[in-house]
Amino acid sequence: MTASNRVTIRDVAKRAGVSVATVSRVLGGEYPVLAATRNKVVRAVRELDYVPNAHARALSAARPGAIAIVVNSVAVPYYALIAQGVEEQAAQEGRLSLICTTGGDTGRELSIVRLLREQRAEAVILVGSVVVDDEYRERMTEYAHALAAAGSRLVLCGRPPLGEGVPALVVGFDNTGGAHAVTAHLLSAGHRRILYLGLRPGHTTSDSRVAGYRAALAEHGVPADPDLEVEAEFDREAGYAAMRRRLAAGPPSFTAVFAGNDLVAAGAIQALREHGLRVPDDISIVGYDDVPPAQDLDLTTVHLPHDELGRTAVRLALGRLTPGPPSSGPMDGAGSARVLTLGTHIVVRGSVRRLGPR
Amino acid sequence: MTASNRVTIRDVAKRAGVSVATVSRVLGGEYPVLAATRNKVVRAVRELDYVPNAHARALSAARPGAIAIVVNSVAVPYYALIAQGVEEQAAQEGRLSLICTTGGDTGRELSIVRLLREQRAEAVILVGSVVVDDEYRERMTEYAHALAAAGSRLVLCGRPPLGEGVPALVVGFDNTGGAHAVTAHLLSAGHRRILYLGLRPGHTTSDSRVAGYRAALAEHGVPADPDLEVEAEFDREAGYAAMRRRLAAGPPSFTAVFAGNDLVAAGAIQALREHGLRVPDDISIVGYDDVPPAQDLDLTTVHLPHDELGRTAVRLALGRLTPGPPSSGPMDGAGSARVLTLGTHIVVRGSVRRLGPR
């Protein structure tokens, strides 16, 4: 790489027979360039083994410029959209990015973090709901110290912060606030019997949403009813199966459903339809996340700033942002410094009917 | 890593106070294990810095066991689902996998392939539709030789094969066959005026689908009408915009739509609805890919074996499969060896109405 770094953009321009500005435009990829011109430049870059400055650090032997994001699965839109935000910001900062998936397996997560530490990734961004227990805190604390020792930064995204003194940065979103708002939206439309579909005791994401749901009910003087809190994993199949079971057990004792996320909502809507119940005429429903199925289902939901979560994680890792003061955000289990919380908001579509005389 | 490799699974079992079989079960991640037991094992693995055999190669200094998949974007379900197949098969083969995204930028692709070559990835899998021109063939040929020289294998997935003698493996799917079948499905339901929405001249994926569409029309004696072939990029927004423009230009001159993929179909359906046209009562529509929006839209479409494409790419790369003879498949531009083609099939849902007296 040392030799190739001596090649300059001027050499490339000369070889391609175009101006330096044109080379810059082609490499930047932001302006329209004629295909023939683009090809000439790309060929010259290859022939001279030219490394554009923006990528030079990422390509150096120690590879300090790579930013890695570790998620359960890219087939889940929540993860894919955050990963996309990470990659866009990384590209803008001249870094290459890698996505690694664990399939939810702690052993694979451990292998991946070790590999990234060995490769001296500039930052490792861990995303997603977890069961916060002593084992989890211990594991994350160890990752943070091991990565810091190798010159890498650990960023937790959508996960609760660790204790004081642990070298980890945290970016989250107002999970509880979004759940509160969307429940209040159903209450304002006259609904009093609201089924929460997606209970997962111990999982941070669902726990925060249930907390927002219960708080909104309490504020409106509606007693919480354990019979209206139903367990379901956060995917389409689980939402479908849980709603089918509920409907098979007897006529619905609810007029509205708050699904733990949009995938759960999609499954629940399918089960409602198969049972001859129309949305929103017979049953109202809201979701959470605002990922693709929501638009096609005309589903009222809570918008998560996926792209901004990914971008913020990169900016935090590169020291472009200063995280808030200790205990700043409404993240569960907060109480440590270095937390940045992004807002959520409702997207109103057509899946909620107003009840009552109006 | 040398020291830690001397730690055996027996040491871990002893430290955790469980049997070797239990450690194996926890590390395999395939059987249910009590959380408390799992935690004990994971803690022992960490404390002893134990590297499970399956991951040992991937974690060695030369890192030959990492399998990389390079796609445009993980926010596009087509790519995300293939990447998921790659990762599942890689995990099953005891390899770690990495996903890299280019954002469709040739410069970033080049940087990524260089990085992977430097890191001696065991295989590099490139996925997705391309414009096949001389520049493309030259670039891929160079990648193939450079990776082969570093001991890596190049696998092209859903892309046409390169020339004879280029060390690249190819796995594709029967793109044209699926388009032929779904067009024939519309023709059998009595449709004669079928709009193809998603023309992208020069792009391999769309070109193959248009070829299948035209072949099916010809077989049914329906003349091809250039006015019924409409350009659109392969995303939701493009499908929406193209259908809006078409409807604004005058009453629909077609009874059915073949959308280039399911995202284009989702956008087109939204535009049809906003124009007061119902699916399938007024206009029938089919898509391609069978990705998540298809189910929620009750859309008849062509199922792509995403998962199997990803898995096959890994199996090919690791020499577990022998590719077919030269010119075996219906991939466009075929004519070289080492091509493996997977089948596609229609998934019939509720978006097509039967026309005529029946």
Side-chain angles (χ1 to χ4, degrees), chain A residues 25 29-34:
Chain A
R25 233 174 280 132
E30 282 162 19
Y31 301 88
V33 178
L34 281 179

Side-chain angles (χ1 to χ4, degrees), chain B residues 69-84:
Chain B
I69 171 166
V70 182
V71 298
N72 274 11
S73 160
V74 288
V76 175
Y78 170 77
Y79 294 118
L81 293 171
I82 294 176
Q84 168 124 317

Side-chain angles (χ1 to χ4, degrees), chain B residues 40-131:
Chain B
K40 273 193 272 183
V41 172
V42 170
R43 195 169 297 138
V45 164
R46 280 211 319 277
E47 287 168 359
L48 297 172
D49 205 21
Y50 170 66
V51 181
N53 282 333
H55 289 305
R57 273 190 77 206
L59 290 167
S60 76
R63 232 170 281 110
I67 292 180
I69 171 166
V70 182
V71 298
N72 274 11
S73 160
V74 288
V76 175
Y78 170 77
Y79 294 118
L81 293 171
I82 294 176
Q84 168 124 317
V86 165
E87 307 221 288
E88 281 167 2
Q89 188 65 29
Q92 209 169 306
E93 305 268 3
R95 265 71 173 179
L96 286 180
S97 51
L98 304 171
I99 308 172
C100 304
T101 67
T102 64
D105 184 280
T106 310
R108 256 164 86 189
E109 180 185 270
L110 183 64
S111 301
I112 289 166
V113 173
R114 280 181 178 172
L115 178 72
L116 294 170
R117 185 185 58 187
E118 256 183 63
Q119 293 189 347
R120 306 175 147 278
E122 186 167 6
V124 176
I125 300 168
L126 296 182
V127 188
S129 184
V130 285
V131 176

Side-chain angles (χ1 to χ4, degrees), chain A residues 27 38-39 41-43 45-47 49-50 52 55 59 96, chain B residues 68-72 100-102 104-118 120-128 130-131 133-157 159-160 162-163 165-169:
Chain A
L27 296 176
R38 188 178 179 87
N39 292 348
V41 172
V42 170
R43 196 169 295 140
V45 164
R46 280 212 317 276
E47 287 168 0
D49 205 21
Y50 170 66
H55 289 306
L59 290 167
L96 286 178
Chain B
I69 171 166
V70 182
V71 298
N72 274 11
C100 304
T101 67
T102 64
D105 184 280
T106 310
R108 256 164 86 189
E109 180 185 270
L110 183 64
S111 301
I112 289 166
V113 173
R114 280 181 178 172
L115 178 72
L116 294 170
R117 185 185 58 187
E118 256 183 63
R120 306 175 147 278
E122 186 167 6
V124 176
I125 300 168
L126 296 182
V127 188
V130 285
V131 176
D133 55 12
D134 287 347
E135 193 283 318
Y136 167 78
R137 283 198 200 86
E138 199 184 313
R139 184 158 44 94
M140 289 303 125
T141 301
E142 195 175 295
Y143 288 172
H145 287 293
L147 288 168
S152 292
R153 286 194 150 182
L154 176 65
V155 183
L156 302 180
C157 182
R159 289 185 174 186
L162 305 172
V166 179
L169 299 157

Side-chain angles (χ1 to χ4, degrees), chain B residues 278-347:
Chain B
R278 293 157 304 162
V279 173
D281 307 49
D282 300 313
I283 300 285
S284 293
I285 185 164
V286 298
Y288 209 113
D289 283 4
D290 196 23
V291 291
Q295 195 176 7
D296 291 321
L297 291 166
D298 201 20
L299 181 70
T300 292
T301 188
V302 178
H303 179 77
L304 284 198
H306 298 96
D307 184 68
E308 202 51 31
L309 277 165
R311 287 181 176 276
T312 303
V314 174
R315 288 195 203 103
L316 272 177
L318 299 181
R320 305 269 185 275
L321 285 175
T322 312
S327 306
S328 61
M331 291 282 300
D332 311 353
S336 87
R338 308 166 84 85
V339 178
L340 207 141
T341 304
L342 304 180
T344 51
H345 62 87
I346 305 187
V347 177

